[in-house]
Amino acid sequence: YIRPNPLKTTVQQLADKLAADHVETEVVEQTMIRLKSPKAVGNLPGFAEGEFVVQDITASQPIRLLNPQSDWRILDLCAAPGVKTTQLAEITGDLAKILATDIDPHILVAACDGIYEEDRLSPLPNGFRQRFSHDAGGPGKGARRRKVSDSLKELVSFWELNLLADWPMRRQFDVIFCRNVVIYFDRQTQDSLWPRFSASCKPGGVLCLGHSERLPNRSLEDFTPVGTTTYIRNPCSSPTGTSRKD
């Protein structure tokens, strides 16, 4: 799947350009394009010009579901090294407050510094990169680096957090990302985590899991699936398993 860069093209314009190059495609959910013909991405028309990025459909779906409001709170669990968190901050501009967590304190230091090799930020549209980061040079003849702007970093808080320890967050979140993490835990450990997601997600909020992760049927009393790995917190269910102070 590829996601067109709206700053440079439209879904239909890119689909037409690919078709002219004999690449068979399918437009998915009006915002994504599925490549049905095998061809090296780097050789596709529009790649060098930044007209699209490669992105998995399940990874892009949560962003498409977001409609950021000024009081939104987003929880990005196991977020280091912070590239996805940075993308979230860029997309939501100054509309959201984001808490990003990880268990590794050394990786969190790098995330707080906000310095990335330029190719790590290549999936982001050029307009975002220019607005929210600046050139940070490079080590000798090494890869060029970019540093995330202070105004963008002010929107994100990085905390060290072990998912299996106590969660210190008191307020609920409008969106929770926990992608490709729970799958590495055994069933008993997973069962201990699902109620925490229920308790930490606002009614009507969104929970986003990874490619191979699914809520068990018993947790669907608290959530309604709206995509393969995306769930809406039911407004009438009562969270269990976690006590919390407002």
Side-chain angles (χ1 to χ4, degrees), residues 161-193:
L161 178 69
N162 183 341
L163 289 183
L164 306 183
D166 291 336
W167 290 15
M169 299 84 76
R170 294 174 177 247
R171 295 176 58 193
Q172 292 179 310
F173 294 87
D174 299 277
V175 183
I176 298 176
F177 289 90
C178 188
R179 297 179 52 78
N180 305 314
V181 177
V182 180
I183 191 174
Y184 294 105
F185 297 138
D186 59 34
R187 179 61 59 84
Q188 183 178 359
T189 304
Q190 291 181 13
D191 287 344
S192 71
L193 286 174

Side-chain angles (χ1 to χ4, degrees), residues 28-42:
V28 180
E29 299 185 16
Q30 301 181 334
T31 58
M32 300 286 290
I33 296 176
R34 183 170 75 91
L35 302 178
K36 301 172 70 174
S37 302
K39 191 170 185 177
V41 173

Side-chain angles (χ1 to χ4, degrees), residues 121-196:
L121 299 181
S122 60
L124 303 176
N126 286 333
F128 283 136
R129 290 201 302 273
Q130 296 301 322
R131 179 180 177 187
F132 293 111
S133 67
H134 58 268
D135 186 15
K141 296 183 178 180
R144 302 292 298 181
R145 301 180 300 173
R146 295 193 69 83
K147 182 176 178 62
V148 175
S149 66
D150 291 339
S151 62
L152 186 65
K153 289 196 290 184
E154 288 175 358
L155 303 176
V156 182
S157 298
F158 288 99
W159 288 8
E160 183 179 345
L161 178 69
N162 183 341
L163 289 183
L164 306 183
D166 291 336
W167 290 15
M169 299 84 76
R170 294 174 177 247
R171 295 176 58 193
Q172 292 179 310
F173 294 87
D174 299 277
V175 183
I176 298 176
F177 289 90
C178 188
R179 297 179 52 78
N180 305 314
V181 177
V182 180
I183 191 174
Y184 294 105
F185 297 138
D186 59 34
R187 179 61 59 84
Q188 183 178 359
T189 304
Q190 291 181 13
D191 287 344
S192 71
L193 286 174
W194 303 130
R196 297 187 177 201

Side-chain angles (χ1 to χ4, degrees), residues 5-50:
N5 177 358
L7 298 178
K8 294 192 173 184
T9 188
T10 67
V11 173
Q12 192 57 54
Q13 286 173 345
L14 182 57
D16 291 343
K17 178 181 287 190
L18 293 169
D21 199 50
H22 308 291
V23 178
E24 187 178 0
T25 65
E26 176 188 1
V27 175
V28 180
E29 299 185 16
Q30 301 181 334
T31 58
M32 300 286 290
I33 296 176
R34 183 170 75 91
L35 302 178
K36 301 172 70 174
S37 302
K39 191 170 185 177
V41 173
N43 295 331
L44 293 175
F47 175 80
E49 295 77 19

Side-chain angles (χ1 to χ4, degrees), residues 73-129:
R73 302 178 73 244
I74 299 175
L75 176 60
D76 191 8
L77 296 167
C78 302
V83 176
K84 175 164 61 69
T85 308
T86 299
Q87 182 181 12
L88 280 168
E90 291 175 339
I91 290 173
T92 58
D94 60 356
L95 297 178
K97 279 290 186 180
I98 303 171
L99 172 60
T101 75
D102 203 272
I103 194 173
D104 189 331
H106 301 292
I107 296 181
L108 282 174
V109 170
C112 290
D113 289 341
I115 300 176
Y116 303 99
E117 291 186 0
E118 202 162 35
D119 61 354
R120 294 295 303 275
L121 299 181
S122 60
L124 303 176
N126 286 333
F128 283 136
R129 290 201 302 273

